[in-house]
Amino acid sequence: ILWGVESYINAARRVIVAKVDGDDIRLEEFQRELQRFRRQAENMLGDNFNPAEWDKPEIKQKALDEIINDKVLGQLVDDARLRVPDALVARQIREIAAFHDDKGEFSRALYDQRVSALGYSQAGFEHQMRADIAKSQLRNGVAASEFVTREEAQRIAAL
């Protein structure tokens, strides 16, 4: 029986739901991320959260799309060798309103509690924050690097 259960579990770990530039997204990773998205939605929506919505294929597809986009951006960040200093990560964490107490100040206890509720360790959350900041910097850099061809500039001038 144990061998059968183990082979069933190992088979589930080998299921690949998507590939991103040769990097596999396994079923267990997808399920973990789907649960994390669900917890985030529960925390944000509170009483307005509808669990039935999370059984719809559209929600699962959106979650998979988010994972794929995240992997692509992560690869671009690695290729660009973007790095985020510790001081910036700490400052960003201190600015998150969910970690502030009634006085509006950063609360280490709230930080520990809420990070744990999201399913992260402190190191894991800080790693995710660092990755998110780097991806945001990449997005902002691309958005700010707009260029116009000569033909486009002439058409705009004519308008």
Side-chain angles (χ1 to χ4, degrees):
I1 292 173
L2 291 176
W3 180 80
V5 170
E6 181 183 355
S7 66
Y8 175 75
I9 291 170
N10 287 336
R13 287 185 183 150
R14 288 187 289 262
V15 174
I16 297 170
V17 295
K19 280 188 180 245
V20 178
D21 197 27
D23 192 13
D24 296 341
I25 299 174
R26 298 186 185 279
L27 178 61
E28 65 181 2
E29 179 183 0
F30 168 71
Q31 291 172 332
R32 185 177 57 246
E33 289 300 310
L34 185 62
Q35 287 302 316
R36 189 174 63 81
F37 291 144
R38 181 184 170 128
R39 280 192 304 269
Q40 286 177 335
E42 284 178 286
N43 288 335
M44 286 175 29
L45 298 174
D47 293 337
N48 295 328
F49 178 76
N50 182 1
E53 291 288 319
W54 287 85
D55 291 332
K56 293 183 178 179
E58 301 87 38
I59 298 294
K60 292 178 181 178
Q61 184 62 50
K62 284 183 182 179
L64 181 58
D65 291 345
E66 284 290 321
I67 295 168
I68 291 169
N69 289 338
D70 191 59
K71 290 246 185 218
V72 169
L73 277 174
Q75 289 172 351
L76 290 171
V77 164
D78 288 345
D79 291 346
R81 295 187 178 137
L82 293 177
R83 300 294 175 251
V84 177
D86 293 340
L88 179 58
V89 174
R91 188 173 73 232
Q92 291 283 349
I93 288 173
R94 284 190 192 99
E95 291 176 2
I96 297 174
F99 303 146
H100 292 184
D101 59 17
D102 296 337
K103 299 174 189 174
E105 296 177 6
F106 178 79
S107 167
R108 183 67 177 197
L110 276 175
Y111 170 71
D112 294 342
Q113 176 189 11
R114 301 235 162 107
V115 164
S116 178
L118 289 172
Y120 286 106
S121 66
Q122 288 178 7
F125 182 76
E126 291 167 10
H127 176 75
Q128 186 63 45
M129 280 293 296
R130 185 180 310 279
D132 290 346
I133 292 168
K135 291 170 192 169
S136 177
Q137 288 177 338
L138 179 66
R139 279 189 206 103
N140 292 340
V142 169
S145 64
E146 181 178 330
F147 69 92
V148 179
T149 64
R150 181 182 310 269
E151 293 81 21
E152 291 172 322
Q154 290 171 345
R155 279 187 287 164
I156 291 171
L159 289 173

